Each structure stands twice: as C-alpha cells, then as structure tokens.
Amino acid sequence: MNLTERDKKHIWHPLTQHKLHPESKPIVKAKGALLYDEDGREYVDAISSWYTAMYGHCNDFIIERAHQQMQQLDQVIFSGFTHEPAVELSEKLIAILPENQQKLMFNDNGSTSTEIGIKMALQFHHNKGQTRKTLLAFEEGFHGDTLGAMSVSGLSVYNGPFEEFFIDVKRIPLPNGENETAILKAIESFHAETPLAGFIYEPLVQGAAGMKMYQAAHLEPILQKCKELGIICVADEVMTGFGKTGSFFASDHVAVKPDVMCLSKALTAGLVPMGITTCTQEIYDAFYDDDIGKGLFHAHTYSANPIACATAIAGIELLQSEEIQSNIKQIESWHQQFAEEIAKHPKVRVTRQQGVIFALELAIEMERYGDLRYKIYEFCMAEGVYLRPLGATIYILAPYITTKAQVEKIYRAIRKVLDTF
C-alpha cells in the first residue's frame, strides 16, 4: 500500500469529514518555501503550513540549533527545574515584546496559550475576591479548539455540540470607525449587567474568520474602555505574532498595550510545537501569595522543552536579522502591487493586506467547507501552489524567504482561479 492507503487505515485528520474527503496527500519532504509529494511534485507553501514555517521549512540555521540542543539536554520537567534555553528565550522574547510584558508561562500550542490567557483573566479577579465570570470577545473571533478557547471563539462551524458547556461570553462587532459609540455603550451595558473579567481579541487581523482586518486606531478606544473598567485585555497573537503584520507583534501598532499576550505557531519557526502566554507584572502579582491556592496551577508535560526553546531563540534571531526584515518589506510591496492589479477583476469583491498577510474575497457565494472551496483548493494544488481558502476568502501568508518567482507562481494560480470559477 502507498502512504495514502496506509493513512486511511488508522488516522483521523483535523478539520476533515472523512466520508466526503477520505484521502490525504502524502508530503515526503519540505525545504524553503516548497513542499514535495511522494511523486516528486513540488508545491509553494503559500500559507507557511498554518503560519508556522515563516523562515522556511527545514531552515539550516534552526535545525543546527535544535541539533546542538538535543545533544545537551532533550527534555526535563519544568516544575522545580529550569535550564539555559528557557531562561535565554525568556530574555530574548521579553526584549521584543511590548514593554509592559514581564512574565511568561510556557505551554504546548496556540489553543493552550489562549486557554491560559483566559484562566489568567478569570483567576486574577477571583484572587482579588471579585466575582467576574463573564468574558468579552469579538464576533467571528477564533482562539483555538480547547474548551475555554472555543468558548470565546465566535465561529459556530467549530463549536458545534459543545456550546452548552461554554464559559459565558458577550460579543461585540469588529470596530470600523463608525460603530465606536455603540460598541463602548455595549461594553458598559454588559459590564453593568454582569462584571466582565477579560476581553480576548486578535489584534488587527481575525485569521480564521477570513483574514478580516481592522485598524489599530479603532481598537484603542475599546482597550482603553476595558482598562477603565478593570477588564483584563488578552491579545491572541498566535497567528499575528513574529513579524507577519509588519512589526514584531500586531500589538506594536496599538497604543494601548494588552495585559496578557498569547503566542505560538511561528514562535518555534515551524519545527516543533510550543506556546507561551505572557503577562504584566500586575497580573503575575495577583497570583504571588502565601496562599498556595492562589497560584496558577496549570502545567504541560513538555512545558519549556529545551529543544523547542532552542528553535524559538534561533527564530527570534532570524526575525531580527536585516535579511528577514528586508524580505518582509519586499513581500509587502509585492502584495501591494498585486492588490492594485487584482482588485479590478470582476470576481474580486475586496482585497485586504496587513504586512505580509494578503487576502481577497471572491465575489462568489460559497460555504466555508463546501464543495466549491475544495475544488479551488485542488485546482491550486494542480498549479503547484498550496493555498487553503477560508470560504470565499483566498489568502497568502508565505514564508519570509519565498522568492519573487515563487510569489509570482502563487499570483498566477490565483489569477487562474478567478478566470476559471
């Protein structure tokens, strides 16, 4: 049997209805911006494998750091122990985060990173003797697939039969410059009815919602209102972090800084899983007490895995390099030129861009995981480009090392989609 047949015997893939889509394509190799299947065909990874491999697949610099680390210290429990890679990573990460971030908690992935952010917000008030059990979130936000993260997510396609178990959440629409007064009044009304513990948000770009974008200036009054009401601001930068929006973090664009930040995906450059949740000194101090019960009793077996820490350190060094920063600016300019061209196409409803994130909405009605979406996906694969449309939204979030020729190949595939469907 080939890999596809062997896969079908035992594996249950994520976000897949196997009765409708029983086969998965075997990928046997990856390098730079390219994926290779078992037949030797190559595909430009136009979404960096869910926004992780931002410095390219199998990056030699990152692999060497991981190799060095795994010969020194592979894994050790992080409760009661510490190690050099974790300490160095904490120092390097805090140095590039917004200056109010002072403490960090290691975890495993994006969902657990936001889960901890939610727990920090809820327990912060509990430790202070306040009853605040309700959270605030944007409509159509997405924060992960664990139960707490699902609670604050607003995309029903993921939540399905679990909604009756969720934390209480109030929702507000994305700010657009015209609805600020209504949003602020809604927050005040929600808070008067049942005090809000925290506000979780994807700054500037709602990824899973279809790369929906909004302005920093429109977010700031919401964060300021939350600060006034003592609502903990939790920035979910799992997708936006590490250079994608044109700065190290999307929160760098926003004057009002979050109390908590959730990180993963590009954190370890696509090599190994890891998440980190950071917070201000004020948040940390609410858990610092002689009462052991006021501690944040949350742990993961692989918290601060030394190899993951080593890859994250290498990733930060690459992010700060002149080469990667130059590449980011170059990709931004290519996308701007493509947007100007493609916006005129009758099949394009609108284009959006923030940093290296580019998205266009098709002027076609289609379901998020409907048949037409899969046809477009397969069409692009036949063109040698891995794109994963979010309903009617086609987006690009390619590695920072993607060449001009590879980016043009992505653009050509999108042009053909527009002319074919």
Side-chain angles (χ1 to χ4, degrees):
M1 291 187 293
N2 61 25
L3 273 177
T4 299
E5 293 302 316
R6 289 166 59 199
D7 174 278
K8 287 161 64 174
K9 288 186 66 177
H10 302 297
I11 296 178
W12 192 341
H13 286 269
L15 302 182
T16 301
Q17 174 48 268
H18 282 266
K19 188 170 184 179
L20 298 176
H21 303 281
E23 295 191 348
S24 297
K25 179 174 289 295
I27 298 297
V28 299
K29 177 184 174 183
K31 188 67 177 176
L34 299 177
L35 305 173
Y36 299 86
D37 69 15
E38 63 180 354
D39 297 319
R41 289 188 292 265
E42 66 178 42
Y43 309 88
V44 180
D45 187 354
I47 66 166
S48 303
S49 290
W50 266 339
Y51 340 131
T52 58
M54 297 310 301
Y55 314 103
H57 291 278
C58 297
N59 183 292
D60 293 338
F61 178 74
I62 295 170
I63 287 174
E64 178 58 27
R65 291 292 189 86
H67 182 236
Q68 291 173 8
Q69 182 56 51
M70 66 177 60
Q71 296 176 85
Q72 177 70 28
L73 178 63
D74 53 356
Q75 165 64 8
V76 66
I77 187 172
F78 205 61
S79 179
F81 289 143
T82 191
H83 50 76
E84 175 64 29
V87 174
E88 183 180 353
L89 175 55
S90 72
E91 294 165 345
K92 287 187 178 295
L93 187 56
I94 291 295
I96 63 171
L97 284 166
E99 61 182 11
N100 69 335
Q101 300 298 297
Q102 290 298 318
K103 298 289 184 177
L104 58 82
M105 174 170 274
F106 289 95
N107 44 81
D108 277 4
N109 56 65
S111 295
T112 57
S113 179
T114 57
E115 195 88 7
I116 290 172
I118 292 164
K119 291 172 77 171
M120 283 180 175
L122 292 169
Q123 191 175 340
F124 175 89
H125 297 290
H126 174 81
N127 284 359
K128 289 182 171 293
Q130 303 169 356
T131 301
R132 296 199 187 198
K133 299 180 179 179
T134 301
L135 296 167
L136 181 70
F138 281 132
E139 296 170 357
E140 295 192 286
F142 179 76
H143 303 285
D145 290 321
T146 50
L147 203 61
M150 287 175 67
S151 295
V152 293
S153 298
L155 293 171
S156 59
V157 66
Y158 297 109
N159 295 349
F162 307 105
E163 293 185 353
E164 63 182 287
F165 306 106
F166 284 175
I167 300 166
D168 184 37
V169 178
K170 304 296 183 184
R171 300 199 181 278
I172 53 176
L174 278 189
N176 57 22
E178 298 178 357
N179 58 1
E180 177 182 319
T181 300
I183 290 174
L184 297 182
K185 285 184 178 179
I187 294 172
E188 290 177 341
S189 177
F190 292 147
H191 191 67
E193 176 186 342
T194 175
L196 299 170
F199 169 48
I200 188 166
Y201 60 99
E202 298 162 273
L204 305 191
V205 186
Q206 285 189 308
M211 298 299 169
K212 292 188 175 179
M213 301 179 186
Y214 62 105
Q215 295 182 27
H218 299 156
L219 175 61
E220 287 167 4
I222 297 173
L223 298 181
Q224 190 60 52
K225 175 59 67 175
C226 288
K227 299 276 188 177
E228 292 171 6
L229 298 174
I231 300 167
I232 304 303
C233 297
V234 181
D236 177 356
E237 295 235 25
V238 169
M239 190 277 288
T240 54
F242 300 97
K244 301 186 191 81
T245 63
S247 60
F248 290 154
F249 301 95
S251 295
D252 294 336
H253 298 279
V254 187
V256 184
K257 304 304 179 185
D259 303 298
V260 174
M261 293 179 68
C262 308
L263 311 172
S264 189
K265 291 194 182 290
L267 168 64
T268 48
L271 194 67
V272 287
M274 185 164 73
I276 289 177
T277 309
T278 73
C279 68
T280 63
Q281 188 69 41
E282 181 184 7
I283 298 295
Y284 177 81
D285 287 346
F287 295 78
Y288 189 78
D289 199 275
D290 291 329
D291 181 354
I292 193 171
K294 287 190 174 182
L296 181 56
F297 272 68
H298 187 113
H300 293 269
T301 302
Y302 281 90
S303 287
N305 170 261
I307 300 167
C309 289
T311 65
I313 293 166
I316 290 173
E317 291 177 10
L318 287 177
L319 178 64
Q320 293 177 297
S321 70
E322 290 185 13
E323 179 182 0
I324 293 298
Q325 287 299 310
S326 176
N327 288 358
I328 288 172
K329 292 181 175 61
Q330 185 68 76
I331 293 172
E332 287 179 5
S333 69
W334 293 338
H335 286 346
Q336 288 165 4
Q337 294 167 21
F338 180 62
E340 291 175 5
E341 169 210 330
I342 212 72
K344 303 168 187 175
H345 197 286
K347 293 279 185 68
V348 175
R349 179 176 287 122
V350 67
T351 66
R352 297 186 285 272
Q353 182 183 357
Q354 176 69 52
V356 300
I357 306 169
F358 173 84
L360 65 85
E361 276 190 35
L362 298 171
I364 302 171
E365 293 301 320
M366 54 190 292
E367 297 177 8
R368 184 180 184 88
Y369 290 108
D371 186 57
L372 181 55
R373 180 261 183 194
Y374 278 98
K375 287 180 178 178
I376 292 174
Y377 163 78
E378 292 292 350
F379 180 90
C380 291
M381 289 293 283
E383 293 295 319
V385 175
Y386 174 48
L387 286 164
R388 189 178 169 86
L390 293 164
T393 300
I394 296 176
Y395 70 95
I396 306 170
L397 218 175
Y400 301 140
I401 49 77
T402 309
T403 66
K404 175 66 169 175
Q406 290 166 343
V407 171
E408 285 295 344
K409 189 172 183 178
I410 298 169
Y411 295 160
R412 282 198 302 274
I414 292 174
R415 290 188 192 100
K416 288 185 178 181
V417 167
L418 296 175
D419 293 336
T420 303
F421 292 91

